Amino acid sequence: MSADVRLEWFVSFLAVIDTGSFVAAAESTRRSQPRVSTHVASLEREIGLPLFDRRKRPVELTGAGAALAVHAREILHALESAEASMAPWRGGTRGVVTLGSYPSASAAFVPRLLASLRRSSPDVQVVLLERSTLELDDALTSGAVDAYLRPMSPPPASASARSLPLWNEPLVVVHAPEHPLARLPEPIPLGAVVEHPIVSIGRLDAPETGEFESYQLFREHGYEVEPVQATNQPQTLVSLVRQGIGVGVTNWLAAQVADTTGVEVRRLEGPAGRRVAVCWDSVRPLTPAARTLLHGIIDTEPPAGTDPTPERARARRAGPR
């Protein structure tokens, strides 16, 4: 590759990877779609190889594209680190940092976090990347995120991922007002729930889904859940319940951020719940901007209805290392 390669080509190239399409990449980078396409095409001409298989939807990386993506991220991260290292001479931390999050945390926690950071660290730009839990694991491994919020079960796929628990939240049942479960007092017994079709979080075709907290809770009490449908979107789960597809089993926060008109949300039997953490790569050095983001996450109060963890309390005093 010659020195004529432009950094903006890398930015557009990585945006297509992270968003899954040229249209979404244009939106995330605030560029026109033709400009993003031109950047990627220019990079392909310089490399002499196709970077994407455009016959597939969404577009997929070629082998050459996957290899280049690793180096492109390293180059941009190095530039961000160099920029952030100038903070002491500017009087404050600055730089771009990418935060990964799953749907319910994005709605109930991230807005207050970003508002707080805008006041305390206006020169730190946070890019939000929303994915399902398992997709966020891949994003950390590939370097697409600097830190991300995720439930602690199943554990992160990467051995180098470091986690700091932030809050605990109960599991809930979502059902129609006239459903037979409505006649039972809270907490709803597990045995009563498994008598009905269940809509759960996760994906039906993902083996890791069975490691989520709700599945573990039923398994510990001798029940094996076989949901009729599963989704990672809180509003979709509620809508499926509203249409009579099944009884929803999910976490407290997911139910709180969804429009639950026409359904009941009630606590599920058992002490187990969802434990949510912030994760980062212990091998990859944190930039000053990423460290500022971590401090902001720790200092932001957990969502209402959840219980802060002792680990968060200790970290507020010591800060992440």
Side-chain angles (χ1 to χ4, degrees), residues 257-307:
V257 301
D259 177 4
T260 55
T261 303
V263 299
E264 300 288 338
V265 178
R266 307 174 72 209
R267 296 203 177 211
L268 185 63
E269 175 188 35
R274 168 170 283 196
R275 193 168 169 84
V276 176
V278 58
C279 302
W280 65 96
D281 194 334
S282 61
V283 174
R284 193 166 67 237
L286 290 172
T287 65
R291 190 167 292 277
T292 296
L293 172 63
L294 278 176
H295 279 289
I297 291 172
I298 294 167
D299 289 338
T300 300
E301 288 297 318
T306 66
D307 297 320

Side-chain angles (χ1 to χ4, degrees), residues 20-270:
S21 74
F22 284 80
V23 173
E27 293 176 354
S28 69
T29 59
R30 297 183 180 179
R31 294 170 175 163
S32 66
Q33 183 182 346
R35 187 169 182 80
V36 170
S37 298
T38 298
H39 287 170
V40 174
S42 299
L43 196 53
E44 289 177 321
R45 283 196 299 271
E46 179 65 28
I47 298 296
L49 295 166
L51 301 176
F52 292 102
D53 185 346
R54 293 172 173 78
R55 296 169 299 178
K56 298 182 178 180
R57 291 293 182 273
V59 293
E60 293 184 3
L61 279 171
T62 61
L68 181 62
V70 173
H71 296 289
R73 293 194 194 281
E74 290 176 350
I75 290 169
L76 294 181
H77 273 298
L79 285 173
E80 290 171 6
S81 297
E83 169 67 16
S85 69
M86 299 295 103
W89 287 272
R90 292 194 177 100
T93 301
R94 63 183 299 152
V96 179
V97 60
T98 302
L99 169 65
S101 182
Y102 61 98
S104 57
S106 291
F109 179 76
V110 171
R112 286 189 294 112
L113 165 67
L114 297 185
S116 176
L117 285 173
R118 186 171 59 183
R119 293 189 297 268
S120 64
S121 305
D123 290 329
V124 173
Q125 180 184 355
V126 180
V127 177
L128 178 61
L129 180 67
E130 296 178 284
R131 294 285 187 273
S132 68
T133 298
L134 302 180
E135 290 171 333
L136 288 170
D137 287 343
D138 294 336
L140 182 70
T141 301
S142 67
V145 298
D146 296 286
Y148 67 114
L149 301 166
R150 78 182 305 283
M152 294 191 68
S153 183
S158 173
S160 64
R162 185 174 179 183
S163 302
L164 174 66
L166 299 172
W167 69 77
N168 300 308
E169 54 184 291
L171 298 177
V172 298
V173 179
V174 183
H175 61 73
E178 67 278 4
H179 194 275
L181 291 178
R183 297 193 292 268
L184 300 177
E186 290 188 81
I188 307 298
L190 299 172
V193 175
V194 295
E195 293 178 358
H196 305 279
I198 292 177
V199 179
S200 76
I201 57 173
R203 278 175 43 189
L204 290 182
D205 61 348
E208 298 88 349
T209 294
E211 298 180 43
F212 288 152
E213 299 89 349
S214 55
Y215 290 82
Q216 290 185 1
L217 176 61
F218 280 97
R219 194 176 299 122
E220 289 169 1
H221 288 77
Y223 303 108
E224 198 63 40
V225 175
E226 295 185 4
V228 294
Q229 194 51 262
T231 176
N232 286 303
Q233 297 297 329
Q235 193 60 63
T236 301
L237 183 142
V238 171
S239 297
L240 290 170
V241 172
R242 192 181 289 124
Q243 290 299 317
I245 303 299
V247 172
V249 176
T250 187
N251 55 294
W252 164 263
L253 210 56
Q256 297 309 300
V257 301
D259 177 4
T260 55
T261 303
V263 299
E264 300 288 338
V265 178
R266 307 174 72 209
R267 296 203 177 211
L268 185 63
E269 175 188 35

